[in-house]
Amino acid sequence: MLNFADGLEGIIKVILLNAQTFFMVTCNHVNEVGISNSQLGRLACATSLVLDIFGMFLTFLIYSLISPVLAGDFWHPVMVSGTYIFMFAVCRPLIIHIVSYTPEGERVKDCHFMVILLIVLLLAFLSLQVHHPLAVFLFGFFLPEEPLASILSDKLDTITSCVFFPIFCAMHGFEADFNSLSSNSFTVEIIMTLGVCGKFLGTLVPTMFFGVHARTAISLSIIMASGGLLDIVMLGQFQEQGILSGEHYTTLALHILFCTGTFLPLVKYIYEPSTQYSTIIRQGVITSAETGTLRVLSCIYKEENLPGIIRLLQAFHSTQQKPLPVIALQLIPLTAGRVSLPILAPLHEIQSSSAYRSNLSRCNRTVNALVNLERKTNGTIRPHHYISVSSYTAMHDDICSIAHSQNVSLLILPFHTQWTNDMGFQHASQPIRDVNKMVLEKAPCSIGLLIDRGDQNLAHLSDVYHIAIFFIGGVDDQEALAYTTIFTNHPNIRLSVIRLNSLKPQHNTFNDYNAIQDFQCRCKDNNRVSFVEVTVNDGGETTDIVVSMKDEIDLAVVGRYHEPGCTPLFGLLDRW
């Protein structure tokens, strides 16, 4: 028989804790395994959020209202209700009012930050007095994301992650008493194991019944059955209240650590998010140009990307007979450490969400720029605005998923470095660079990496726009040549094709020759198109040719991959 310090109450609370799935724990798990914005990650987070809200409501109702009233304690329900009323009716409007003094795009003042921090500490103290330690978490969930998330992350992330969290783990570790383990511990472990098996099967059977793939169902079951930090926190609360003895606390903590540490990493090997958009044959520009089904996906990391993207879209010279469908995907990063559900949806579906309202001005400026583009082109460019809110580590999944679901032919990625109007070099963004690298590796379509060094104040094509393609050879250069062929119909565009030859025989010469011949046949009567062949002996001569044209061209187009050891790039591939 179990020797819980408080008898049946202890058994019931341990069973309830084992059955509960915390939203914050699930979000942490899907972030750890890198699937936060995959179909599985969204399903797991949404499911745990529903369970968490339902569980918190029942816990509040039973343990804070009904049980005290039945026991004749009417003061405790009043204290708990008063704490929540004070939290949401007084403190939340006060913090929002303080944040409203911060201009958009600027940081919260230190004095305002200190006031907000004192309010949060006061609420933490009150919530502990009424035995509701998660009340502050719930309070933070209903606060606006920006600019609070960035200032809290900058000010508190280091001390909480590197100081308080290790101390917290060490303190709970010291509470474990391994000498107290006995035969009763085995009985407790059986109860916990049965609970985990119940959660696992309770998730696995319904998901497979509704047609979910076996690997996805198993991964979801493992995530939902895994414990985390909040489970350890609740165990500590039970021990402090005398509900658990040292023996049972040690057994339960070891169970959570073992199960989560053993089974959760298996999700990385069982579930691969890229399977939802991976294809054997990539959708390319060549095929789309021939069939007239060209669709473009343009990614927008920040507002500075818009002028270059708009100029590029105008270069396609779409018409009423051949309009250009454009999916504009605005990418909003989740702040590090923030517990939130990733979002990927059309603009009109999430305009009421907190993530959109937190970035309202930025999103509105992007929307206005796209609406003006559609108006100036008389509807021949038809942008469809999507919003993605996710972490940088999983952002590539959203990009590739949209490209696959919308049957995109060309994906435009802004370069990770932005230049100023005076050609000054801005700081490169390593997270954006990592996202671009993952997209280049996994995207199901052709990719154009846009390096914009143009005037940020000029969002429309000039009277004469000069485009040059440097053709070396290979599949990527053939795709780039087909891409630039689309520009030849624009009356303001001058296109120059510079073919870089070498005396040494190259691979794919026959396919390169066919691509060039097809291009010349298409543009033989177009006096805005020129074709030049240049023989080079190494990468140095190639560089000289490119540099000599830097003041003449507005857009340079090159293929990404070339055969190792090709003469026009000899000496360059080793360095870059």
Side-chain angles (χ1 to χ4, degrees):
M1 183 176 178
L2 296 181
N3 294 321
F4 282 95
D6 203 12
L8 184 61
E9 182 185 0
I11 299 176
I12 293 175
K13 285 201 172 183
V14 168
I15 293 175
L16 290 176
L17 175 63
N18 196 27
Q20 192 165 358
T21 300
F22 294 102
F23 171 68
M24 188 170 71
V25 172
T26 304
C27 287
N28 182 69
H29 288 340
V30 297
N31 284 329
E32 286 290 331
V33 296
I35 59 171
S36 59
N37 59 343
S38 64
Q39 293 179 352
L40 173 61
R42 287 189 169 90
L43 178 61
C45 290
T47 304
S48 64
L49 180 60
V50 173
L51 294 175
D52 215 0
I53 293 175
F54 185 70
M56 291 180 71
F57 175 75
L58 285 183
T59 301
F60 175 80
L61 189 65
I62 295 173
Y63 290 102
S64 298
L65 296 181
I66 297 178
S67 295
V69 170
L70 293 178
D73 182 8
F74 297 97
W75 182 245
H76 182 72
V78 173
M79 290 291 292
V80 174
S81 302
T83 300
Y84 279 99
I85 292 173
F86 175 71
M87 185 179 295
F88 289 101
V90 178
C91 294
R92 183 177 180 271
L94 179 60
I95 291 179
I96 293 177
H97 179 70
I98 294 173
V99 170
S100 66
Y101 284 101
T102 303
E104 184 186 356
E106 296 186 10
R107 294 171 57 86
V108 177
K109 293 181 179 179
D110 290 341
C111 58
H112 292 170
F113 169 73
M114 289 302 299
V115 173
I116 294 172
L117 186 60
L118 290 175
I119 293 174
V120 173
L121 291 176
L122 173 63
L123 293 177
F125 174 76
L126 293 177
S127 63
L128 289 175
Q129 298 305 307
V130 297
H131 306 294
H132 278 250
L134 297 183
V136 179
F137 162 71
L138 187 65
F139 176 71
F141 200 72
F142 286 93
L143 289 178
E145 180 177 357
E146 292 297 340
L148 284 179
S150 57
I151 187 68
L152 289 174
S153 178
D154 293 343
K155 297 285 188 181
L156 302 179
D157 186 61
T158 301
I159 191 170
T160 53
S161 301
C162 301
V163 179
F164 292 152
F165 183 69
I167 292 176
F168 171 83
C169 294
M171 291 176 61
H172 278 274
F174 288 139
E175 294 291 334
D177 185 5
F178 296 98
N179 294 324
S180 64
L181 297 177
S182 63
S183 58
N184 287 333
S185 305
F186 182 70
T187 308
V188 177
E189 180 60 29
I190 290 177
I191 294 177
M192 293 294 291
T193 303
L194 289 175
V196 170
C197 292
K199 290 175 69 176
F200 182 87
L201 294 176
T203 307
L204 180 66
V205 174
T207 49
M208 294 195 67
F209 177 78
F210 285 101
V212 178
H213 191 272
R215 285 178 173 267
T216 304
I218 293 172
S219 300
L220 178 63
S221 302
I222 291 175
I223 293 172
M224 300 300 290
S226 299
L229 175 64
L230 286 185
D231 298 87
I232 301 295
V233 171
M234 296 305 296
L235 288 180
Q237 290 288 319
F238 291 162
Q239 188 184 25
E240 289 179 4
Q241 296 170 13
I243 298 175
L244 294 180
S245 64
E247 175 189 358
H248 300 125
Y249 172 84
T250 304
T251 305
L252 297 174
L254 287 175
H255 170 86
I256 293 173
L257 291 175
F258 175 78
C259 290
T260 303
T262 302
F263 297 109
L264 187 62
L266 296 178
V267 176
K268 291 184 178 181
Y269 303 98
I270 298 175
Y271 179 77
E272 174 55 49
S274 62
T275 55
Q276 60 186 324
Y277 52 76
S278 59
T279 57
I280 299 177
I281 301 176
R282 285 188 172 190
Q283 176 78 358
V285 177
I286 296 177
T287 306
S288 301
E290 293 174 350
T291 59
T293 58
L294 180 66
R295 295 177 67 89
V296 177
L297 170 61
S298 178
C299 298
I300 304 169
Y301 292 114
K302 45 192 177 181
E303 291 179 59
E304 290 80 359
N305 300 147
L306 279 171
I309 290 174
I310 290 175
R311 289 194 297 267
L312 184 61
L313 294 177
Q314 288 178 322
F316 282 97
H317 192 54
S318 52
T319 61
Q320 295 291 345
Q321 291 72 31
K322 289 186 177 181
L324 178 65
V326 177
I327 295 96
L329 178 60
Q330 187 167 3
L331 300 157
I332 301 174
L334 276 176
T335 306
R338 177 172 170 83
V339 178
S340 184
L341 188 64
I343 297 173
L344 176 62
L347 175 67
H348 66 273
E349 293 183 8
I350 64 166
Q351 285 182 324
S352 60
S353 68
S354 59
Y356 180 83
R357 292 196 303 269
S358 299
N359 298 272
L360 182 61
S361 297
R362 179 170 57 170
C363 292
N364 282 345
R365 286 193 292 268
T366 303
V367 171
N368 292 336
L370 296 174
V371 170
N372 289 334
L373 174 63
E374 183 174 12
R375 186 183 299 115
K376 285 182 176 294
T377 58
N378 296 320
T380 59
I381 295 179
R382 301 174 181 176
H384 303 278
H385 197 170
Y386 280 73
I387 298 287
S388 166
V389 182
S390 63
S391 62
Y392 278 118
T393 55
M395 198 174 281
H396 64 277
D397 282 327
D398 280 350
I399 298 173
C400 295
S401 297
I402 286 290
H404 180 262
S405 62
Q406 298 294 327
N407 198 26
V408 168
S409 311
L410 176 65
L411 196 163
I412 300 174
L413 284 177
F415 196 53
H416 63 274
T417 299
Q418 191 78 34
W419 279 263
T420 58
N421 287 336
D422 57 355
M423 293 296 109
F425 181 79
Q426 288 187 347
H427 179 67
S429 173
Q430 185 62 39
I432 294 178
R433 184 186 184 193
D434 293 337
V435 173
N436 287 347
K437 288 168 67 177
M438 293 299 295
V439 174
L440 287 169
E441 178 182 342
K442 298 186 176 183
C445 62
S446 293
I447 305 165
L449 194 61
L450 178 60
I451 305 175
D452 182 22
R453 302 185 67 170
D455 189 349
Q456 294 298 312
N457 299 320
L458 181 62
H460 300 283
L461 287 181
S462 55
D463 293 337
V464 178
Y465 195 74
H466 194 178
I467 299 176
I469 172 172
F470 297 91
F471 189 93
I472 296 174
V475 177
D476 282 0
D477 276 8
Q478 295 167 19
E479 188 82 0
L481 188 63
Y483 172 60
T484 54
T485 305
I486 304 172
F487 299 148
T488 57
N489 296 323
H490 200 292
N492 294 345
I493 289 181
R494 302 292 182 267
L495 176 62
S496 300
V497 180
I498 299 94
R499 184 178 186 184
L500 302 174
N501 290 326
S502 64
L503 300 177
K504 180 181 177 181
Q506 303 291 325
H507 297 286
N508 296 322
T509 304
F510 180 74
N511 293 333
D512 293 340
Y513 176 79
N514 287 340
I516 292 293
Q517 290 297 312
D518 181 63
F519 173 80
Q520 290 179 326
C521 289
R522 289 173 181 265
C523 307
K524 62 181 179 179
D525 296 327
N526 194 332
N527 56 9
R528 300 188 304 276
V529 178
S530 62
F531 182 83
V532 179
E533 293 194 51
V534 182
T535 301
V536 293
N537 297 313
D538 55 27
E541 295 184 6
T542 300
T543 303
D544 292 339
I545 293 173
V546 175
V547 171
S548 66
M549 300 184 65
K550 68 176 184 178
D551 296 326
E552 302 175 13
I553 59 177
D554 300 293
L555 175 67
V557 182
V558 294
R560 177 173 179 247
Y561 177 79
H562 300 91
E563 291 293 334
C566 67
T567 302
L569 298 180
F570 182 76
L572 299 181
L573 295 179
D574 296 335
R575 184 175 180 182
W576 296 291

